Amino acid sequence: MSQSYHIVPESTHNALVKAAYAARGFDKDECAAAARACALAATHGIRTHNAIKALHLDELFGSGADPKGCVPGAEYLEVESKFTGSVIWDANRKLGQAVAFDAMETAMELADKHGIAQVSVDNAFHYLWGGGYVMDAARKGYIAYTNCTSTLAEVVPFMGKTPTLGTNPHSWGFPTTTAIGYPIVIDWATSTIAMGRVEQFKREGKQLPEHSAVDAEGNPTTDPHQVAALLPFGAHKGYGLALINELVAGFIGGSLPVLRGRSNHAPKGEKTCSSFYFQVIHPGAIDACDFVNERSQAANVRAVVEDILGHGNEKCLLPGQIEAKAAADTEKAGGLLFTTAEIEAFNEIARATGQPEWDKDGFHIFES
Amino acid sequence: MSQSYHIVPESTHNALVKAAYAARGFDKDECAAAARACALAATHGIRTHNAIKALHLDELFGSGADPKGCVPGAEYLEVESKFTGSVIWDANRKLGQAVAFDAMETAMELADKHGIAQVSVDNAFHYLWGGGYVMDAARKGYIAYTNCTSTLAEVVPFMGKTPTLGTNPHSWGFPTTTAIGYPIVIDWATSTIAMGRVEQFKREGKQLPEHSAVDAEGNPTTDPHQVAALLPFGAHKGYGLALINELVAGFIGGSLPVLRGRSNHAPKGEKTCSSFYFQVIHPGAIDACDFVNERSQAANVRAVVEDILGHGNEKCLLPGQIEAKAAADTEKAGGLLFTTAEIEAFNEIARATGQPEWDKDGFHIFES
């Protein structure tokens, strides 16, 4: 299916995103991190988690909320720890994107020494798109992982009726660029679908996939108008994966799931924030140096992938392949690719921020 | 549903398991590790991965195969590495259970210093039940994880038609005994069902769940008699999880998936073995020391779990809860619990090994 996009120079995009965050009181480094994360999402065709979503989230739950879920100019503080491969931060509700880039950088440095390293973050605010951080680390040559607890509890535990879990995403990135041309990135929420998809199906008059949502009584429904909460993907298995984020967050210091993002409703003294967890592995630290047929490590990974996608499976996709194609399109176009509706959303942001609107006719068109 | 079990003293069970492994040439330490892993599975009600399965696997793919997939008395060798939080072993096809217990022990020691540590194992042979190793580590106070590549490629990639992936399990254990009374253990294969379930459904004349298997043409089927291969659970998400094991193994040095467990069919020079990956996190190394309302770390984890299983979700189970109930029954009974059919299978093992058969009427009965 062909689609036309407006080619927006990354510098133009970043200038507006920075200005929008600056208008909300964020400092220069935070604005730069915010723009970088949004550009990364747009580069890889992640339309659900670009600048439009980021600024909307900040307005609803972050610097626009009262009390603020995200505090412009906040400094994260390192918590003292005797563990040499581990770093712990109290983010003090600093912008998630800024914290996440720094955390991944810190974990990569530690992994160079220890082979594996982790950064845990308490009192955190939404980092937008976990896939971007692990993809960035994977491009730099590392195996990377992150999970976080979602702002809202929208997911019902397996066999339950009330949403008490976040959509709690997991993101894994693998440094497979030498092997196959791009990083394999496995990145998804632990709900079958996102709440945004429910809204989309309402608008389009469509039924939801089975086993994806429940109504107010906790009964399964495929009618988007009846949806009260989401279900984990894969029954008890996805439920277990959603629990992992809650447990890791619980050990870090995370708040009760149903209170997150609801600071107005929380009993006094309770936290209302998300937690982040980052992990980096140096591929040299898992290399047993016994590759057969004179393969390098990358050649062995390529041989494994080719075996999986051989034997009649040639049409299967690898996770990260669609994003790699989007990145190639972005590079070919020489700018970020946005739809006309997205350009209009950016212009709303421009108007709200006192910035000049974009003239969409001034952008070249890219056919994808 | 009530069920009667014969109570077999763990020492009786372990003596037979050790004798059976010794008869195949395994050394004293290997026999002890094999018995320990089988007893751990039986203690926790894991009927699909007990001694009967372990010895059958060894016969089919291990010391009973030609060439041997598992070599009795083999020594694993440490691969030199500059990374201080990481250990890499060439298992030389040593019995997986012995390697796995040692690997988890090594990772726990390293995690005490670094907060996180990993052990990667090349040239490995089946470790039986990954859940047991992470549960054991969780009982000792650690967050633990393991994955491995399965012996056979039985799973079709998402949108594919030929099985080129293992059922590739993941196992996570959390030290939640202080918080809730037992370790939360999330432990499953990445296929919707196991091939053993397909055989069971054939015998029982039942249809399989949807989206669990395909026929020889790669088309979905619920008829167990038509099943040629399994599907990942949760469509592309389970496929991604199955890929993780293959990728990690590929970086370690693992063989091509379709050759594993098929040493007779492999081109000269190609490996035919599994890989193991172990990871341990010290909970102190992710503790941001900011628990509200004077909670300890364990109390915070308990509060999070109670929030998830509150609000009408009181009937939901936690992963590991059924296994904890089985362990409580085992303790109450004062021995391992086996069905009459299982006692008969043990007696077949006894006869094949030249050991005295068990007199099932000599065992007490436990009603569960």
Side-chain angles (χ1 to χ4, degrees):
Chain A
M1 201 165 58
S2 169
Q3 167 87 47
S4 297
Y5 295 104
H6 304 276
I7 305 171
V8 178
E10 188 170 325
S11 57
T12 303
H13 165 273
N14 288 4
L16 176 55
V17 175
K18 286 178 188 174
Y21 274 94
R24 296 177 186 193
F26 290 95
D27 67 26
K28 204 178 153 195
D29 290 345
E30 289 166 339
C31 293
R36 182 182 165 196
C38 295
L40 201 58
T43 296
H44 293 93
I46 306 298
R47 320 205 83 76
T48 52
H49 288 79
N50 58 18
I52 301 160
K53 167 79 168 247
L55 286 158
H56 190 57
L57 279 170
D58 177 63
E59 190 182 329
L60 280 181
F61 303 108
S63 71
D66 180 22
K68 290 183 194 305
C70 182
V71 179
E75 303 274 348
Y76 58 82
L77 296 176
E78 185 154 344
V79 178
E80 205 180 308
S81 165
K82 64 169 187 171
F83 298 98
T84 54
S86 307
V87 165
I88 308 162
W89 290 342
D90 180 341
N92 286 314
R93 297 178 180 259
K94 188 177 180 69
L95 184 75
Q97 293 89 324
V99 176
F101 280 121
D102 284 2
M104 213 45 114
E105 198 65 43
T106 300
M108 286 189 275
E109 275 170 31
L110 283 174
D112 284 341
K113 184 170 179 191
H114 303 294
I116 184 166
Q118 61 186 352
V119 177
S120 305
V121 182
D122 195 11
N123 294 309
F125 178 74
H126 210 298
Y127 61 31
L128 191 60
W129 176 46
Y133 310 109
V134 300
M135 184 182 283
D136 191 54
R139 280 196 203 284
K140 289 169 179 161
Y142 299 88
I143 298 169
Y145 168 75
T146 182
N147 78 45
C148 64
T149 44
S150 304
T151 306
L152 296 176
E154 298 177 314
V155 179
V156 176
F158 180 61
M159 306 293 280
K161 51 190 281 191
T162 309
T164 55
L165 293 163
T167 51
N168 294 359
H170 295 263
S171 312
W172 293 265
F174 289 89
T176 51
T177 305
T178 308
I180 60 161
Y182 56 88
I184 292 180
V185 174
I186 297 156
D187 168 51
W188 26 251
T190 48
S191 55
T192 304
I193 55 168
M195 204 53 103
R197 186 71 75 92
V198 176
E199 296 304 318
Q200 180 198 331
F201 277 50
K202 269 189 205 170
R203 287 193 301 270
E204 298 175 359
K206 286 187 188 162
Q207 292 290 296
L208 299 172
E210 284 196 71
H211 311 298
S212 59
V214 294
D215 63 20
E217 307 304 312
N219 297 315
T221 182
T222 57
D223 177 355
H225 296 279
Q226 296 300 318
V227 170
L230 305 173
L231 287 173
F233 85 94
H236 68 287
K237 297 186 182 183
Y239 164 50
L241 287 165
L243 266 179
I244 286 175
N245 307 34
E246 301 293 351
L247 291 170
V248 169
F251 280 101
I252 292 173
S255 59
L256 307 189
V258 302
L259 301 180
R260 283 197 305 268
R262 302 179 71 224
S263 33
N264 283 331
H265 299 76
K268 196 166 160 8
E270 288 290 346
K271 284 181 176 179
T272 57
C273 55
S274 294
S275 307
F276 301 154
Y277 178 79
F278 302 90
Q279 187 184 97
V280 169
I281 296 170
H282 192 298
I286 65 170
D287 177 348
C289 303
D290 183 30
F291 301 105
V292 296
N293 291 329
E294 298 185 7
R295 289 181 199 130
S296 63
Q297 190 181 41
N300 196 56
V301 170
R302 179 169 56 243
V304 166
V305 170
E306 285 176 351
D307 194 41
I308 295 166
L309 298 194
H311 313 283
N313 296 332
E314 288 75 10
K315 287 186 183 165
C316 295
L317 296 178
L318 288 168
Q321 188 169 347
I322 291 170
E323 291 77 6
K325 165 71 165 63
D329 281 354
T330 300
E331 193 178 346
K332 194 170 156 198
L336 304 176
L337 304 176
F338 292 109
T339 62
T340 302
E342 286 170 336
I343 297 286
E344 187 39 49
F346 276 107
N347 280 340
E348 267 184 50
I349 291 166
R351 287 190 294 274
T353 315
Q355 294 294 309
E357 291 185 41
W358 292 348
D359 171 16
K360 76 172 189 299
D361 299 328
F363 297 133
H364 291 287
I365 295 293
F366 184 84
E367 300 288 343
S368 175
Chain B
M1 203 165 56
S2 169
Q3 167 88 45
S4 297
Y5 295 103
H6 305 276
I7 305 172
V8 179
E10 188 169 326
S11 57
T12 304
H13 165 272
N14 288 2
L16 177 55
V17 175
K18 284 178 190 174
Y21 274 94
R24 297 179 185 193
F26 289 94
D27 68 26
K28 204 179 153 193
D29 289 346
E30 288 166 340
C31 292
R36 181 182 167 198
C38 294
L40 201 58
T43 296
H44 292 93
I46 306 297
R47 319 204 85 77
T48 53
H49 288 79
N50 58 18
I52 302 160
K53 167 78 169 248
L55 285 158
H56 190 56
L57 279 171
D58 177 62
E59 191 182 328
L60 280 182
F61 304 108
S63 71
D66 180 22
K68 288 183 195 305
C70 182
V71 179
E75 302 274 349
Y76 58 81
L77 296 176
E78 185 155 343
V79 178
E80 206 180 307
S81 165
K82 63 169 188 171
F83 298 98
T84 55
S86 308
V87 166
I88 309 162
W89 291 342
D90 181 341
N92 286 316
R93 297 178 179 259
K94 189 177 181 67
L95 184 76
Q97 294 89 324
V99 175
F101 281 120
D102 285 2
M104 210 49 112
E105 199 64 44
T106 300
M108 285 187 275
E109 276 171 33
L110 282 174
D112 284 341
K113 183 170 180 192
H114 303 295
I116 184 166
Q118 62 186 351
V119 178
S120 306
V121 183
D122 195 11
N123 294 310
F125 179 73
H126 211 296
Y127 60 31
L128 192 63
W129 177 45
Y133 310 109
V134 300
M135 183 181 284
D136 191 56
R139 281 197 204 283
K140 291 170 178 160
Y142 298 88
I143 299 170
Y145 168 74
T146 183
N147 79 45
C148 64
T149 44
S150 304
T151 306
L152 298 176
E154 298 178 315
V155 179
V156 175
F158 180 62
M159 307 293 281
K161 51 188 281 190
T162 309
T164 55
L165 293 163
T167 51
N168 294 0
H170 296 262
S171 312
W172 293 265
F174 289 89
T176 51
T177 305
T178 309
I180 61 163
Y182 56 89
I184 292 181
V185 174
I186 297 156
D187 168 50
W188 28 249
T190 47
S191 55
T192 304
I193 54 168
M195 203 53 102
R197 186 71 76 89
V198 176
E199 296 304 319
Q200 181 197 330
F201 277 50
K202 268 188 206 171
R203 288 192 301 270
E204 297 174 358
K206 286 187 188 162
Q207 293 289 294
L208 299 172
E210 284 196 71
H211 310 300
S212 59
V214 293
D215 63 19
E217 308 303 312
N219 297 316
T221 182
T222 58
D223 177 355
H225 296 280
Q226 296 301 318
V227 170
L230 306 173
L231 286 174
F233 86 95
H236 68 287
K237 297 187 181 181
Y239 163 50
L241 288 165
L243 265 181
I244 286 174
N245 307 34
E246 302 292 351
L247 291 170
V248 169
F251 280 101
I252 291 174
S255 59
L256 307 190
V258 302
L259 301 181
R260 283 196 306 267
R262 302 179 72 225
S263 33
N264 283 330
H265 298 75
K268 197 166 163 358
E270 287 291 344
K271 285 182 176 178
T272 57
C273 54
S274 294
S275 307
F276 300 156
Y277 179 79
F278 301 90
Q279 188 182 98
V280 169
I281 296 169
H282 192 299
I286 65 168
D287 177 348
C289 303
D290 183 30
F291 301 106
V292 296
N293 292 327
E294 298 184 8
R295 290 182 198 130
S296 63
Q297 191 181 39
N300 195 57
V301 170
R302 178 168 58 245
V304 166
V305 169
E306 284 176 352
D307 194 42
I308 294 167
L309 299 194
H311 314 282
N313 296 332
E314 288 75 10
K315 287 186 183 165
C316 294
L317 296 177
L318 287 168
Q321 189 169 346
I322 290 171
E323 291 77 7
K325 165 73 166 64
D329 281 353
T330 301
E331 194 179 346
K332 195 170 156 198
L336 304 176
L337 304 176
F338 292 109
T339 63
T340 302
E342 287 169 335
I343 297 286
E344 187 39 49
F346 275 108
N347 280 339
E348 267 183 52
I349 291 166
R351 287 191 292 274
T353 315
Q355 293 294 308
E357 291 185 40
W358 292 349
D359 171 17
K360 74 172 190 299
D361 298 329
F363 297 132
H364 291 288
I365 296 292
F366 185 84
E367 300 287 344
S368 177

